[in-house]
């Protein structure tokens, strides 16, 4: 196996190469069947599976950043279904993406939360004469998990903005955990949830409609919060909601 630094460099080079190739495609022309197959079978799916299996956080973050760059560079709606072979089931690359990104988001946030809880426990023990907290390692660990979660969030945002069918997978797999996340104590977690829900509202207002009333109420509550990680995306969400079908009336009513 290659070293972590080589894995990071390689995936960054691949992303840059793909972005350059996509820039050379004829503007407005639909991608060929060969290009679409390559984007799904040889690029999107293998990269998602590599992200899922990658044990080192810094490499996984680099892979997520590369995936996001590739998704935004590809022609819209390039990623989708792959027909299976004689002994293979069909695969939906967007569904795999939803599964992998949800897994990375939830895992990163869980580890981030565990680090802070462990620090709080050690702080309490230290104040009673227990062992000192290794603050530097805790700080480094939390920063690593924050960067990982941010990279995964950006990848979700990229898919929502460029691949219309992804919104349905987002609704099925991510809306419920994100709604729970909006009740978390930390501004980081609330801010991530609000940004992703805002993107979902923009990507498919029709799918979002059942959540509109409760979400607008939550946004108005967050705007009164003094945490900048929550206030800015909540204010942006209210602006998006006013332009969505029924959203303006819900905002005015709330």
């Amino acid at each position: 196996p290659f070293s972590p630094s080589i894995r990071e460099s390689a995936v960054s080079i691949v992303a840059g190469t793909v972005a350059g190739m996509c820039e050379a495609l004829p503007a407005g022309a639909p991608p060929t069947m060969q290009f679409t197959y390559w984007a799904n079978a040889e690029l999107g799916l293998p990269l998602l599976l590599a992200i899922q299996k990658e044990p080192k956080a810094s490499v996984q973050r680099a892979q997520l950043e590369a995936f996001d760059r590739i998704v935004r560079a590809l022609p819209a709606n390039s990623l989708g279904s792959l027909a299976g072979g004689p002994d293979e089931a069909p695969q939906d690359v967007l569904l795999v993406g939803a599964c992998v990104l949800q897994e990375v988001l939830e895992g990163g946030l869980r580890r981030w939360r565990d680090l802070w809880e462990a620090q709080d426990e050690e702080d309490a023990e230290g104040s009673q004469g227990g062992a000192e907290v290794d603050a530097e390692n805790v700080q480094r660990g939390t920063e690593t998990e924050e960067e990982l979660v941010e990279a995964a969030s950006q990848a979700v945002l990229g898919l929502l903005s460029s691949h219309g069918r992804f919104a349905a997978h987002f609704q099925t797999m991510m809306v419920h955990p994100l709604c729970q996340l909006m009740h978390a104590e930390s501004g980081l977690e609330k801010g991530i949830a609000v940004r992703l829900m805002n993107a979902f509202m923009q990507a498919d207002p029709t799918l979002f409609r059942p959540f509109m009333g409760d979400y607008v109420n939550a946004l108005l509550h967050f705007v009164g919060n003094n945490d900048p990680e929550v206030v800015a995306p909540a204010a942006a969400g209210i602006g998006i909601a006013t332009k969505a079908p029924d959203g303006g009336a819900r905002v005015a009513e709330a």
Side-chain angles (χ1 to χ4, degrees):
F2 294 108
S3 69
S5 60
I6 291 177
R7 296 203 299 277
E8 283 187 49
S9 299
V11 76
S12 177
I13 291 168
V14 168
T17 303
V18 172
M21 289 172 57
C22 291
E23 287 177 3
L25 292 173
T32 64
M33 289 182 62
Q34 292 90 338
F35 180 89
T36 301
Y37 177 82
W38 170 79
N40 285 272
E42 305 294 336
L43 189 63
L45 185 60
L47 184 50
L48 285 166
L49 297 178
I51 291 168
Q52 187 176 44
K53 296 174 184 176
E54 177 55 54
K56 191 167 179 62
S58 62
V59 180
Q60 194 176 47
R61 187 195 71 242
Q63 292 169 334
L64 286 163
E65 291 170 348
F67 179 75
D68 181 43
R69 186 176 180 187
I70 288 168
V71 163
R72 293 174 191 268
L74 288 171
N77 301 308
S78 294
L79 298 180
S81 298
L82 271 173
D87 302 317
E88 298 175 335
Q91 285 188 294
D92 186 339
V93 177
L94 293 177
L95 176 58
V96 174
C99 294
V100 171
L101 293 173
Q102 180 195 33
E103 186 179 309
V104 174
L105 275 170
E106 291 185 340
L109 286 169
R110 183 176 60 251
R111 291 188 297 272
W112 176 85
R113 202 178 297 121
D114 289 346
L115 281 165
W116 279 113
E117 288 176 359
Q119 184 184 31
D120 289 342
E121 290 176 7
E122 291 186 18
D123 282 344
E125 291 175 5
S127 65
Q128 298 171 9
E132 292 186 5
V133 182
D134 189 347
E136 186 177 340
N137 281 339
V138 170
Q139 180 68 22
R140 190 181 304 115
T142 53
E143 287 175 357
T144 297
E145 298 304 336
E146 280 188 43
E147 290 169 356
L148 186 64
V149 166
E150 180 61 27
S153 300
Q154 289 299 321
V156 174
L157 293 173
L159 283 168
L160 281 170
S161 67
S162 61
H163 288 71
R165 261 195 336 107
F166 184 72
H169 297 313
F170 182 94
Q171 180 192 30
T172 303
M173 305 188 64
M174 294 190 184
V175 167
H176 181 64
L178 286 176
C179 287
Q180 290 183 318
L181 206 59
M182 285 192 288
H183 296 288
E185 292 185 12
S186 80
L188 170 74
E189 293 172 293
K190 288 176 182 165
I192 288 168
V194 171
R195 281 193 294 140
L196 294 180
M197 289 291 280
N198 287 351
F200 174 42
M201 179 164 50
Q202 280 186 300
D204 199 319
T206 302
L207 283 179
F208 190 86
R209 187 172 290 177
F211 312 101
M212 182 66 77
D214 290 339
Y215 187 59
V216 165
N217 289 332
L219 291 177
L220 290 169
H221 172 73
F222 290 148
V223 166
N225 193 300
N226 61 1
D227 190 332
E229 288 187 283
V230 183
V231 173
I238 291 172
I240 297 166
T242 58
K243 299 174 184 176
D246 299 334
R250 293 297 181 95
V251 172
E253 179 185 346

